Amino acid sequence: MRIALPGGDHTLREPVTWARPAGPARSRIAYAAAHVTADPLGDNTPGSPAVVDWETTLRFRRHLWSYGLRIADAMDTAQRNMGLDWTATRELIQRSAGEAKEFGDPVTLVACGAGTDHAPQARTLDEIEAAYTEQIETVRDAGAGVVVMASRQLAAIARGPEDYHRVYGRLLTQTDRPVILHWLGEMFDPGLAGYWGSGDVAEATASFLALIREHAPMVDGVKVSLLDAEHEIGLRAALPEGVRLYTGDDFNYPSLIRSGSHALLGIFDAIAPAAAAALQALDDGDLGRYDEIMAPTVPLSRKIFETPTYNYKTGIVFLAWLNGHQNAFNMINGAQAARSIPHLSEVFRLADRAGLLVDPELAVHRMRSLLAVNGL
């Protein structure tokens, strides 16, 4: 099957049938950060409150669980700080945790982001701590695990490492179970520049490690999204025993997982069948098969996450639409317009090469309709 795309015709490969694993991976803990589906009849124009298609959003979470993956929800991939307001976020947390009960323990199967985005007016450390506490309690009350997300409000007012330690230290002494701490780089959110008290990565890392060492029993792990493999390997080695490193590096994840990192990745939303098969191969000690599966997903991921990186959600949702997981290519905050047609066309090519267009006829039909709407 062929399709005319900007940049030249593309001949599709034979579709790959990815077997569902018998259960989750044994050698690594793997979270897929999941997207949300916008209601196509809702007013999801830029700046409007999010209107979510809940049935489709939850169906996609069932798809991810069916491949043995855990879900990281209400985080960056779900458009936190880019359209998913607190009202919709709170409902997403409650619905996802409730849906997880059909598959097992929600604390194990889903971890939800807790931040301060519902309190943009927070201007003191006490106000930021209170905002964090409210969201942490919402996640805990729903029965899910907690990911303490980076805070734009804290980044804006913190004078140095001591302010981060004060806020996070208080939060970690109040929690009833270990949490995941999230370090999101400024390539994902420019509002987080200088997080942990310094624009120098080495100094910020020293501050981060000091916090973790002081509160290690209450830190399940750290999710690091800096797109710097060398830094991640060094940080992983420096963590206290029992604290996991969850890679958030959507450029270098195959080698990082192979060498010992666990995973909490947005790209796993799009490549779940391949990721599950690769993790099964890793469990079996078949590193050749692991590398064979993962290798073609990397060009796809690097394309989806290319600069400006924070627009990667558009590519994630685009692939969900191509693969029939939702009926419309639309997003909250109108974010479907954040990537160009040439960009999306290359995502189509690379997804096919990775064996991730599960129904080529459907994918070609939908791609042609998108091209036609854009005059091509």
Side-chain angles (χ1 to χ4, degrees), residues 72-352:
D73 218 335
M75 295 185 64
D76 190 54
T77 306
Q79 295 181 249
R80 290 292 292 274
N81 291 303
M82 291 190 71
L84 193 74
D85 55 275
W86 177 236
T87 298
T89 298
R90 184 171 52 231
E91 186 169 356
L92 175 62
I93 291 167
Q94 293 165 348
R95 284 178 177 264
S96 289
E99 197 73 15
K101 294 176 183 177
E102 301 298 318
F103 291 81
D105 184 356
V107 171
T108 300
L109 290 176
V110 59
C112 294
T116 64
D117 50 322
H118 69 303
Q121 75 288 347
R123 292 293 181 270
T124 69
L125 297 181
D126 287 342
E127 289 173 344
I128 289 168
E129 181 189 340
Y132 262 130
T133 298
E134 179 181 346
Q135 292 204 12
I136 289 172
E137 289 178 350
T138 296
V139 176
R140 288 166 56 189
D141 289 347
V146 175
V147 181
V148 183
M149 300 176 65
S151 165
R152 287 179 178 176
Q153 287 71 37
L154 181 54
I157 72 164
R159 296 162 297 178
E162 65 280 358
D163 287 345
Y164 289 91
H165 284 233
R166 174 182 162 183
V167 171
Y168 278 84
R170 289 182 176 178
L171 296 175
L172 289 169
T173 57
Q174 296 170 12
T175 188
D176 61 345
R177 66 175 74 102
V179 303
I180 297 173
L181 300 181
H182 190 189
W183 186 357
L184 191 67
E186 60 186 286
M187 68 289 292
F188 287 93
D189 187 341
L192 300 176
Y195 216 74
W196 305 115
S198 176
D200 180 87
V201 174
E203 292 180 4
T205 301
S207 168
F208 188 43
L209 281 168
L211 173 73
I212 295 165
R213 288 167 180 153
E214 184 176 353
H215 301 281
M218 298 314 299
V219 181
D220 167 85
V222 297
K223 193 270 193 182
V224 181
S225 301
L226 299 183
L227 305 183
D228 183 336
E230 184 177 353
H231 173 267
E232 179 173 317
I233 291 169
L235 175 59
R236 188 176 69 200
L239 290 172
E241 185 176 356
V243 177
R244 301 179 180 94
L245 192 297
Y246 294 98
T247 187
D249 188 331
D250 298 278
F251 283 6
N252 304 294
Y253 55 93
S255 63
L256 290 165
I257 295 170
R258 196 182 199 273
S259 65
S261 289
H262 299 275
L264 197 164
L265 288 160
I267 194 58
F268 274 17
D269 177 297
I271 69 166
L279 291 169
Q280 180 65 60
L282 190 63
D283 283 350
D284 294 340
D286 190 346
L287 298 181
R289 179 60 177 156
Y290 172 85
D291 292 339
E292 179 186 12
I293 295 169
M294 282 296 204
T297 72
V298 174
L300 171 64
S301 188
R302 292 191 174 203
K303 185 64 182 179
I304 289 173
F305 285 80
E306 73 179 6
T307 305
T309 302
Y310 48 78
N311 284 335
Y312 76 88
K313 279 78 75 174
T314 302
I316 296 288
V317 173
F318 173 64
L319 284 181
W321 174 62
L322 289 180
N323 280 316
H325 294 297
Q326 56 192 72
N327 292 328
F329 177 39
N330 65 317
M331 299 173 68
I332 60 175
N333 208 38
Q336 69 273 9
R339 293 296 201 189
S340 69
I341 291 299
H343 172 95
L344 295 175
S345 297
E346 187 64 15
V347 169
F348 180 99
R349 283 194 183 91
L350 294 171
D352 177 55

